[in-house]
């Protein structure tokens, strides 16, 4: 690029030591802290409830199937609304959507914390899902706008991914600690001071955005179709184990019909909610497909792994949460210290593949965890291997996905990326937990004792999870390699 000489009267170009440059740098990184705080709160809450489920069931008298709705009531609106609110964030302003989401989520958390009946808790959890979707859907779009320069963007994504990944595992620890030391109500009430501080900081720190305006893409029929389709999809996945196969198949067909109607609507609408050209980016489409499989593996590990530690190794709630602490510590440190450097040196594609190899290997090792196993020998090493793999893969995958979207579609691309996380997590949980339970029941029916039957059920789930991770590796190799090369060639040609 040709340099343009400055005239003697030109204002000085800001440098890193110039006050205006320093102010902009401070503002951007302060904004990242606020975005990470809001994201951490929603991610923590999505996981913190897992360990507290037995206490909630005992206190409010949930049945087995009814207890699942403490989780499902959150996941269905959260997963169903991410795409819609991501696009609305582009139209009305992402800051407005983010701060409104924080307010809704915090208020709903208080309602969850004071709930004294099943209906109140389930309804408040659904409202939490709405607020969580509003907060989460626009974050990545705001992040890539704040940090357009590749190296800084890689560093910012690494920080954001570290907070998100560590928050997921940290939720398991906090859930066990708060439930055992105080009571389950505090897993929700703790969000009140965090939410207030995060909202005040967001209002003060985040730069205002006007958005494109609702008239640029307020396709209300399309919004109704895609939201219904996504909510039904999540409902089908999370509730598959409680219905017969015929009902599940009919609901899946209905969801497919709604998606088809949405696609046809977007192809013909004058102002579509979702521009279908977004899916023309192989980077964006391929990265989201890989993420579904990778998150299915990791979410399955988190859930089935917690059950293995509790039911096979005999750990208490607090001990189980403590057992998972090395994973978020490792993920956070590796992402913050090495992620941006390795991506800058080797490129996101190679780093992603290396991470997926580690995840696959760790899950394969975990599938050998026996009934008489030990935490130090059979659980901790595979967990750390998967933590290292996730620390490498997640920032690289995020960068690849968001680089495939135009700036005006940042909120929508962010919402899509978060949607595939929810779908992947729900799918992994439904498939792997069903496999583990059914295999354990079969072994018990054959006369196998409870402990070895339970361990073998979890082993099967871990083996299947390793195959899912291997499929993610193959898909990334097949789809993202071509896109990576094409992008590099385009940058060289343009430079």
């Amino acid at each position: 690029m040709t340099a343009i000489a400055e005239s003697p009267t030109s204002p000085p170009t800001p440098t890193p030591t110039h006050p205006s440059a320093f102010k902009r740098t401070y503002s951007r990184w302060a904004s990242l802290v606020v975005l990470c705080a809001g994201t951490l709160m929603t991610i923590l809450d999505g996981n913190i409830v897992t360990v507290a489920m037995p206490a909630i069931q005992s206190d409010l008298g949930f049945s087995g199937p009814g207890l699942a709705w403490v989780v499902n009531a959150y996941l269905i609106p959260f997963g169903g609304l991410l795409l819609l609110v991501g696009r609305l964030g582009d139209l009305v302003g992402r800051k407005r959507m983010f701060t409104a989401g924080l307010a809704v989520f915090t208020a709903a958390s208080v309602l969850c914390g004071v709930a004294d009946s099943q209906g109140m808790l389930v309804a408040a959890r659904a409202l939490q899902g709405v607020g969580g979707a509003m907060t989460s859907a626009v974050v990545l779009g705001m992040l890539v706008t704040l940090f357009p320069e590749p190296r800084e963007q890689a560093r910012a994504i690494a920080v954001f991914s570290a907070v998100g990944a560590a928050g997921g595992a940290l939720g398991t620890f906090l859930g066990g600690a708060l439930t055992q030391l105080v009571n389950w109500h505090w897993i929700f009430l703790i969000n009140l001071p965090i939410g207030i501080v995060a909202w005040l900081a967001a209002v003060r720190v985040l730069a205002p955005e006007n958005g494109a305006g609702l008239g640029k893409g307020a396709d209300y029929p399309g919004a109704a179709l895609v939201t219904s389709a996504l909510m039904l999809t999540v409902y089908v996945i999370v509730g598959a184990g409680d219905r017969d196969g015929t009902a599940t198949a009919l609901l899946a067909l209905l969801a497919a019909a709604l998606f088809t109607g949405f696609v046809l609507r977007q192809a013909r609408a004058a102002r579509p909610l979702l521009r279908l050209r977004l899916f023309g980016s192989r980077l964006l489409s391929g990265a989201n497909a890989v993420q579904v499989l990778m998150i299915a593996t990791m979410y399955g590990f988190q859930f089935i792994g917690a059950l293995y530690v509790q039911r096979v190794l005999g750990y208490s709630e607090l001990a189980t949460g403590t057992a998972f602490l090395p994973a978020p510590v490792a993920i956070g440190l590796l992402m913050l210290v090495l992620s941006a450097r390795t991506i800058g040196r080797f490129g996101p594609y190679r780093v992603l593949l290396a991470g997926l190899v580690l995840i696959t290997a760790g899950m394969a090792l975990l599938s050998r965890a026996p009934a008489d196993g030990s935490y130090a020998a059979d659980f901790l090493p595979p967990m750390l291997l998967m933590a290292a793999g996730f620390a490498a893969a997640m920032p690289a995958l995020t960068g690849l996905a968001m680089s495939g979207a135009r700036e005006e579609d940042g909120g929508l691309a962010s919402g899509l990326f978060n949607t595939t996380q929810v779908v992947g997590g729900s799918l992994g949980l439904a498939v792997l937990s069903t496999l583990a339970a059914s295999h354990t029941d079969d072994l018990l029916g054959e006369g196998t004792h409870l402990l070895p039957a339970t361990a073998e059920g979890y082993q099967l789930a871990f083996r299947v999870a390793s195959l899912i991770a291997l499929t993610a590796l193959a898909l990334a190799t097949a789809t993202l390699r071509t896109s990576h090369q094409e992008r590099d060639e385009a940058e060289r040609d343009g430079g």
Side-chain angles (χ1 to χ4, degrees):
M1 183 176 292
T2 304
I4 301 175
E6 292 181 333
S7 66
T9 58
S10 300
T13 301
T15 64
T17 57
H18 195 279
S20 62
F22 174 80
K23 184 177 180 180
R24 285 196 298 272
T25 300
Y26 171 80
S27 177
R28 288 186 298 140
W29 289 99
S31 297
L32 176 63
V33 171
V34 172
L35 295 177
C36 287
T39 301
L40 178 63
M41 189 169 64
T42 57
I43 291 176
L44 278 174
D45 203 81
N47 294 273
I48 201 170
V49 72
T50 305
V51 182
M53 295 284 271
I56 293 173
Q57 182 177 24
S58 175
D59 191 20
L60 298 183
F62 277 100
S63 64
L67 184 64
W69 281 99
V70 176
V71 175
N72 296 350
Y74 179 87
L75 285 177
I76 291 171
F78 184 83
L81 288 170
L82 280 167
L83 198 59
L84 172 60
V85 297
R87 181 56 179 158
L88 289 177
D90 291 333
L91 300 178
V92 304
R94 296 168 198 161
K95 177 181 178 178
R96 291 190 182 97
M97 185 61 69
F98 182 81
T99 53
L102 282 177
V104 172
F105 186 88
T106 303
S109 297
V110 174
L111 292 177
C112 288
V114 300
D116 57 0
S117 68
Q118 297 178 18
M120 183 177 178
L121 179 59
V122 170
R125 286 285 286 166
L127 187 60
Q128 264 193 319
V130 175
M134 295 169 67
T135 301
S136 302
V138 296
V139 170
L140 286 175
M142 298 173 75
L143 189 149
V144 297
T145 301
L146 283 168
F147 300 93
E149 195 275 322
R151 284 188 177 275
E152 281 198 333
Q153 186 178 109
R155 197 176 304 123
I157 287 177
V159 172
F160 175 78
S161 299
V163 169
L170 190 60
T172 306
F173 169 74
L174 290 177
L178 289 171
T179 301
Q180 188 165 322
L181 299 178
V182 193
N183 59 58
W184 66 265
H185 296 276
W186 281 95
I187 68 174
F188 300 113
L189 292 176
I190 195 174
N191 288 331
L192 179 59
I194 299 173
I196 291 174
V197 172
W199 186 87
L200 291 173
V203 170
R204 181 176 179 82
V205 172
L206 297 181
E209 292 182 346
N210 292 324
L214 287 174
K216 298 288 186 179
D219 176 24
Y220 298 111
L225 283 169
V226 72
T227 302
S228 300
L230 285 169
M231 284 188 174
L232 186 57
T233 298
V234 177
Y235 173 72
V236 168
I237 293 172
V238 299
D242 300 326
R243 294 185 296 268
D244 60 61
T246 302
T248 299
L250 289 174
L251 290 172
L253 286 174
L254 178 57
L258 289 170
F259 274 122
T260 301
F262 171 71
V263 171
L264 294 174
R265 169 71 187 178
Q266 298 311 286
R268 299 175 181 177
R271 293 186 176 91
L273 178 75
L274 188 158
R275 298 179 182 92
L276 295 181
R277 62 168 167 76
L278 190 69
F279 297 99
S281 166
R282 192 181 298 185
L283 271 177
L284 183 66
S285 300
N288 276 280
V290 170
Q291 181 176 229
V292 169
L293 299 174
M294 185 180 77
I295 296 298
T297 302
M298 295 304 296
Y299 203 92
F301 156 71
Q302 185 176 327
F303 183 79
I304 303 296
L307 292 177
Y308 174 82
V309 170
Q310 284 184 300
R311 296 180 178 177
V312 176
L313 300 185
Y315 282 33
S316 67
E317 294 167 337
L318 180 57
T320 298
T322 306
F324 273 82
L325 270 183
V329 171
I331 289 171
L333 288 176
L334 289 172
M335 282 185 176
L336 292 175
V337 175
L338 294 177
S339 180
R341 294 180 183 177
T342 54
I343 290 174
R345 181 173 180 181
F346 300 105
Y349 171 72
R350 293 184 181 88
V351 174
L352 170 62
L353 295 190
L356 290 172
V357 168
L358 292 175
I359 291 172
T360 304
M363 193 61 77
L365 285 175
L366 192 59
S367 67
R368 301 171 60 252
D372 59 348
S374 70
Y375 171 77
D378 300 299
F379 191 82
L380 181 60
M383 180 176 70
L384 291 178
L385 200 60
M386 284 185 284
F390 192 73
M394 193 62 195
L397 189 62
T398 304
L400 286 169
M402 294 305 295
S403 67
R406 300 181 185 181
E407 184 176 347
E408 64 267 25
D409 293 326
L412 180 60
S414 176
L416 177 63
F417 196 69
N418 281 285
T419 299
T420 55
Q421 282 189 10
V422 175
V423 171
S426 302
L427 188 63
L429 177 58
V431 170
L432 297 177
S433 61
T434 300
L435 281 174
S438 61
H439 189 56
T440 298
D441 289 342
D442 290 342
L443 292 173
L444 290 173
E446 296 171 2
T448 306
H449 291 298
L450 178 61
L451 189 61
T454 302
E456 287 191 38
Y458 297 150
Q459 288 174 354
L460 175 62
F462 292 140
R463 283 196 294 272
V464 173
S466 68
L467 293 176
I468 295 174
L470 186 62
T471 304
L473 175 61
L475 183 61
T477 304
T479 61
L480 299 181
R481 178 181 178 84
T482 302
S483 301
H484 176 71
Q485 291 174 337
E486 288 175 350
R487 188 184 65 177
D488 285 351
E489 290 171 3
E491 289 177 352
R492 285 195 297 269
D493 292 342

